[in-house]
Amino acid sequence: MTQAPVFDRRMLEALICPLTHTTLEYDAEAQELISKSAQLAFPIRDGIPIMLPDEARRID
């Protein structure tokens, strides 16, 4: 059984929220990138951030 690729933290510095253009917070446990300003959590699947608003979940 293969393990999911590890997210490259250096890439995080280059990524911004596609809606608010603000920095994102990396949640390693949930494998998500959090945009506090947009109140969205973008999933990371197989080491790839999915930066589509339709794929993000709302956070409170």
Side-chain angles (χ1 to χ4, degrees):
M1 190 153 125
T2 60
Q3 187 176 11
V6 176
F7 183 69
D8 185 352
R9 288 180 181 265
R10 290 174 291 165
M11 189 182 355
L12 175 61
E13 296 172 4
L15 294 176
I16 59 170
C17 175
L19 299 174
T20 63
H21 305 287
T22 56
T23 57
L24 299 165
E25 187 176 302
Y26 176 48
D27 182 342
E29 186 175 315
Q31 285 296 291
E32 294 178 324
L33 293 171
I34 309 297
S35 173
K36 290 185 179 182
S37 57
Q39 295 293 301
L40 293 173
F42 296 94
I44 299 171
R45 297 186 188 129
D46 297 322
I48 301 169
I50 309 300
M51 303 304 295
L52 302 170
D54 290 346
E55 293 289 321
R57 69 175 180 84
R58 293 289 282 152
I59 57 174
D60 294 322

